[in-house]
Amino acid sequence: MQSNAKNRVLFLEDWLRSAAASSSGAPAPPPPPAAISARSILQAWAELRDPSLPFSDPNPLVSALQILDAARFSLHIADPQAKLLISHLSSDQALPSDSLPLILRLLYFWLRKTPRASPSLLNSAASVLSHLFSARPHCPALLVLLLGALAATPSINVSCRRDCLDLLCLRLELARFEEELIAELLAGIGYSLSRSDDPYFSKLLSFLLRIGNGGSPSASVYHGLMILHLSEWLVTGFVNLTSLGKMESISGELSGPNWEGKSYSPFAVAMTSAGVLRALRMVPSKNRAISIIPDMRSSVENSITSVANHALLSDSNNASDGSHLLQCISIGVSRAGLLPFSAPLLMALNRALLTEIFPFAKFCRLSLEIQNENSINIVLEKLKGHLQSIIFKEAGAITSAFCHQYASADDTHKVFVESSVWNCSLEFYTNIRAVALLHRTKNDQLLGYLEKFGEAAFLMIVVYAAEVASQKLNPKSSHEIRPEVSVQILMAFSCIEYMRRVRLPEYTDVVRRAVLAMQEHAALCISFVESMPPYVELTNKQGLFTLEGARYVWFEDEVQTARMLFYLRVIPTCINLIPASVFGKLVAPTMFLYLQHPNEKVARASHSVFAALMSSGKDSDRDERLDLKEKLVFYYTQRALEAWLLELQL
């Protein structure tokens, strides 16, 4: 298939498994040869030559095949051995059912590892397989793999290739396949597509695009990534061979009206489209296929938009495929490269990030409903499974794709996704606070997993906020400055401050831009202060899920403390724009409360707020501010002394 030797994939099914399982998509090295002696291998071949097998006793035949199968990666199967295997398939004696998959796999290895297999032997294998399996009700996936490899062999007779493709298309329509052999099934289809022409090419492509439409194999992220890399492999080969007709055929089948009208699986269409785009972005400018690339890329991008729209509708209607489809679109887009703005795609990525990749609220709810040790283990397993999932590991790339879509969006869609992310931040704060209060020192392992989850969510929100700030708070940007966004960003950051475990330049830059924008508008400074939780809420467990009878201690609430520390650090930067009446009513009570916080860093931040107030002043409210300072200085001295005396006692 591939014209360049370095791109040749020896065992396509193993490459697909490896590419789907790794974030890089690089094929894993072949497994090490089985520790089987040469003597055992020679004895196994001798057993197969015994003319009395399998009639006298099937066990030696199966045992011999199992030995050869175990050594297949290191085994060289020459034409004479392949002829022996084919003779067993064509024998009048009934083969044991266990032997059939073993013979098919050994013949497959012979094909893939033998560059110049005998044409007559290839034709014989095709004829025997066609005769043996045409009427069988059961079709092993290994048969699809072998038929595909045969059809892709250049030296096979044209009529025998047709026989292989006829049988392959027939079996694909009638059979159901084991989930664990999906790679073999896809590899067989891939081999066939690489060498077939119409009508076979259209039939095989149609089957590929119906995978996941109920039945087996099912739609899953892992299966979807195999489809993505298979389509990438195919299109790369077609580009290298300048097979323009096949490229146009794929593009046509993936177009919106076509896939919807033919009842193709949106899951398969999304992942195939992503694989095609991944291959097209690597086409060198001097390639002869370059002339059709722009139109083909545009058509395939439109198909992803169409699937994204379908996913949003399915998810809104709680359809069973909505969740998997959102995940697959997200991963597909993250691996396909930068795509032009599409409103459905932006909304699908937004929903996927907040509900599929970071379903923090769901896991917190499960954590709050824990009743016993067994239920803790169940939640832990679910959390570990999600943290190790492909979709979670791809969160960074998906966030990047989301930000790219946001950057080109219109104002309406920008405002919508901004609102959803800021609301997600507040929800995150509420949930992690409740879980931390309930499980701290009691279920630290569970809390540790949730915090790992939270750290990743923190990074996602910071990266997104950086994109928002670069467009709406950047004086050098071509976009209109929207200073009100500064307050929204700072409020969101206060909610996720508890998860800030590392120094991020993006975080520092966003906070700086937001503060600078807010400093130019008194109304925004007031709005920021008003967003601060009131004193009553800080000192009570209002609405929090805590153990029955447990006493709420405000300074032990680490999540709330982190949020308030953020406010205490930002307020001094805009102290001159906060009216004395607002400071006295909203800031002073909190400042005095946290003056006595046992954490020195928090107490120092409160002292800094008071110091900023004492050095502040503006003409418009000088008298009012002076009165406030006189009222607060005595109380400040009293509270500071109380804190000092308490420290001495300790």
Side-chain angles (χ1 to χ4, degrees):
M1 166 65 179
Q2 307 285 4
S3 61
N4 192 336
K6 73 177 182 179
N7 290 330
R8 185 170 186 267
V9 175
L10 187 59
F11 301 114
L12 184 55
E13 71 285 3
D14 289 339
W15 185 81
L16 290 175
R17 283 196 183 94
S18 173
S22 67
S23 59
S24 65
I36 296 174
S37 67
R39 182 176 180 178
S40 298
I41 292 172
L42 290 172
Q43 181 62 36
W45 285 120
E47 291 280 3
L48 291 182
R49 292 189 188 94
D50 186 343
S52 66
L53 292 177
F55 184 74
S56 58
D57 181 7
N59 291 329
L61 171 68
V62 175
S63 297
L65 289 169
Q66 287 173 337
I67 289 171
L68 296 172
D69 183 65
R72 64 187 182 275
F73 284 99
S74 59
L75 189 64
H76 174 67
I77 304 175
D79 284 359
Q81 283 86 25
K83 186 175 182 180
L84 178 60
L85 293 169
I86 294 169
S87 70
H88 278 283
L89 285 178
S90 60
S91 172
D92 293 334
Q93 301 176 26
L95 283 171
S97 58
D98 291 347
S99 68
L100 204 53
L102 299 171
I103 293 175
L104 295 177
R105 184 152 51 203
L106 288 169
L107 285 172
Y108 169 69
F109 268 68
W110 160 65
L111 276 177
R112 298 302 294 165
K113 294 173 75 173
T114 307
R116 294 182 179 84
S118 164
S120 61
L121 207 51
L122 293 171
N123 298 335
S124 174
S127 177
V128 168
L129 291 172
S130 182
H131 173 75
L132 185 61
F133 287 100
S134 290
R136 286 201 176 206
H138 177 65
C139 171
L142 288 169
L143 174 63
V144 174
L145 183 64
L146 178 56
L147 288 170
L150 271 170
T153 305
S155 52
I156 194 171
N157 181 278
V158 174
S159 63
C160 290
R161 177 179 284 118
R162 280 200 212 100
D163 290 341
C164 288
L165 293 171
D166 281 331
L167 179 58
L168 180 58
C169 291
L170 174 66
R171 303 319 304 179
L172 287 174
E173 291 296 334
L174 299 177
R176 295 176 65 86
F177 299 93
E178 303 92 334
E179 293 283 321
E180 61 271 17
L181 293 178
I182 178 66
E184 281 74 10
L185 171 67
L186 291 173
I189 295 172
Y191 288 136
S192 305
L193 284 167
S194 71
R195 296 290 300 187
S196 64
D197 295 309
D198 276 333
Y200 301 109
F201 187 86
S202 296
K203 287 181 180 179
L204 292 165
L205 182 59
S206 176
F207 181 85
L208 178 65
L209 296 177
R210 290 203 304 273
I211 289 177
N213 245 358
S216 179
S218 62
S220 72
V221 172
Y222 182 59
H223 293 166
L225 283 169
M226 288 189 194
I227 293 173
L228 182 152
H229 288 289
L230 175 63
S231 58
E232 177 192 6
W233 178 80
L234 283 167
V235 173
T236 299
F238 296 151
V239 168
N240 290 339
L241 298 172
T242 325
S243 300
L244 303 186
K246 291 183 178 181
M247 294 170 65
E248 290 173 338
S249 179
I250 291 175
S251 174
E253 290 299 301
L254 290 174
S255 67
N258 263 3
W259 78 259
E260 292 174 301
K262 294 183 179 180
S263 299
Y264 288 155
S265 160
F267 149 81
V269 170
M271 299 312 274
T272 302
S273 299
V276 170
L277 291 173
R278 188 176 166 91
L280 294 182
R281 72 178 182 176
M282 305 302 291
V283 178
S285 58
K286 295 182 180 179
N287 191 287
R288 285 183 294 171
I290 198 71
S291 60
I292 71 165
I293 299 300
D295 289 343
M296 186 176 181
R297 182 183 286 118
S298 176
S299 175
V300 176
E301 287 168 351
N302 288 338
S303 75
I304 290 183
T305 295
S306 177
V307 175
N309 197 48
H310 175 89
L312 291 169
L313 292 173
S314 299
D315 192 57
S316 298
N317 296 328
N318 295 316
S320 58
D321 67 337
S323 174
H324 276 134
L325 194 50
L326 284 171
Q327 292 182 28
C328 286
I329 290 171
S330 301
I331 288 184
V333 169
S334 72
R335 296 195 177 192
L338 301 179
L339 302 183
F341 168 68
S342 153
L345 184 54
L346 172 66
M347 304 302 278
L349 290 172
N350 179 55
R351 191 173 298 179
L353 278 168
L354 302 185
T355 63
E356 301 297 328
I357 303 169
F358 297 110
F360 197 72
K362 181 184 79 173
F363 284 114
C364 285
R365 186 173 61 252
L366 291 173
S367 302
L368 295 173
E369 293 170 355
I370 286 174
Q371 300 294 327
N372 50 46
E373 191 71 27
N374 185 51
S375 56
I376 289 176
N377 292 333
I378 291 172
V379 176
L380 279 172
E381 285 305 310
K382 288 183 177 180
L383 261 172
K384 282 192 283 188
H386 190 80
L387 290 173
Q388 293 168 2
S389 66
I390 297 171
I391 188 75
F392 187 78
K393 291 176 180 178
E394 292 278 333
I398 294 168
T399 301
S400 178
F402 172 58
C403 290
H404 174 74
Q405 286 290 310
Y406 168 87
S408 304
D410 55 76
D411 282 344
T412 302
H413 288 96
K414 279 182 177 177
V415 169
F416 179 88
V417 295
E418 284 168 26
S419 177
S420 66
V421 174
W422 310 147
N423 289 338
C424 170
S425 302
L426 181 57
E427 188 181 61
F428 172 88
Y429 166 75
T430 304
N431 284 312
I432 192 64
R433 184 183 174 206
V435 170
L437 286 170
L438 181 62
H439 291 293
R440 179 77 67 198
T441 73
K442 302 176 185 67
N443 295 307
D444 284 342
Q445 186 183 18
L446 174 64
L447 192 55
Y449 279 125
L450 282 169
E451 289 185 356
K452 272 188 181 178
F453 200 127
E455 287 171 21
F458 169 86
L459 291 174
M460 180 272 289
I461 293 170
V462 169
V463 169
Y464 171 69
E467 181 61 41
V468 175
S470 70
Q471 293 207 19
K472 296 193 171 183
L473 300 179
N474 184 5
K476 297 180 181 178
S477 170
S478 58
H479 300 85
E480 182 183 354
I481 298 297
R482 298 291 178 83
E484 66 276 8
V485 170
S486 62
V487 177
Q488 297 167 350
I489 289 176
L490 292 173
M491 287 169 57
F493 275 23
S494 76
C495 292
I496 61 173
E497 180 69 10
Y498 176 70
M499 299 312 311
R500 185 165 69 94
R501 307 292 163 85
V502 293
R503 289 184 177 274
L504 285 177
E506 294 88 349
Y507 173 90
T508 305
D509 184 59
V510 171
V511 172
R512 182 185 60 81
R513 284 184 174 179
V515 168
L516 287 174
M518 190 171 67
Q519 285 175 338
E520 297 178 5
H521 303 271
L524 295 181
C525 295
I526 295 170
S527 177
F528 175 69
V529 169
E530 289 175 342
S531 72
M532 190 167 57
Y535 181 89
V536 174
E537 183 181 318
L538 295 174
T539 53
N540 292 279
K541 62 175 185 180
Q542 293 183 346
L544 284 174
F545 188 108
T546 54
L547 290 174
E548 188 175 348
R551 186 171 64 92
Y552 176 74
V553 181
W554 66 272
F555 56 79
E556 293 178 355
D557 189 342
E558 295 180 15
V559 180
Q560 177 177 269
T561 297
R563 185 181 184 192
M564 297 314 301
L565 179 58
F566 182 89
Y567 276 98
L568 292 172
R569 284 171 169 168
V570 172
I571 285 173
T573 66
C574 57
I575 195 77
N576 284 318
L577 296 178
I578 302 174
S581 57
V582 173
F583 188 97
K585 180 181 177 182
L586 300 178
V587 180
T590 299
M591 177 186 71
F592 286 124
L593 176 67
Y594 281 90
L595 273 174
Q596 292 190 323
H597 197 284
N599 186 310
E600 186 180 345
K601 180 170 61 175
V602 179
R604 274 203 312 268
S606 286
H607 283 286
S608 297
V609 171
F610 183 79
L613 172 70
M614 298 306 292
S615 61
S616 70
K618 60 178 185 176
D619 294 340
S620 60
D621 71 342
R622 180 180 297 174
D623 293 341
E624 188 180 0
R625 188 168 291 256
L626 187 59
D627 289 343
L628 176 66
K629 291 177 183 179
E630 290 174 353
K631 289 178 184 177
L632 295 184
V633 70
F634 174 77
Y635 195 53
Y636 170 80
T637 305
Q638 183 183 10
R639 293 302 293 264
L641 284 172
E642 287 174 1
W644 179 67
L645 290 172
L646 181 62
E647 188 176 332
L648 286 178
Q649 291 172 6
L650 294 174

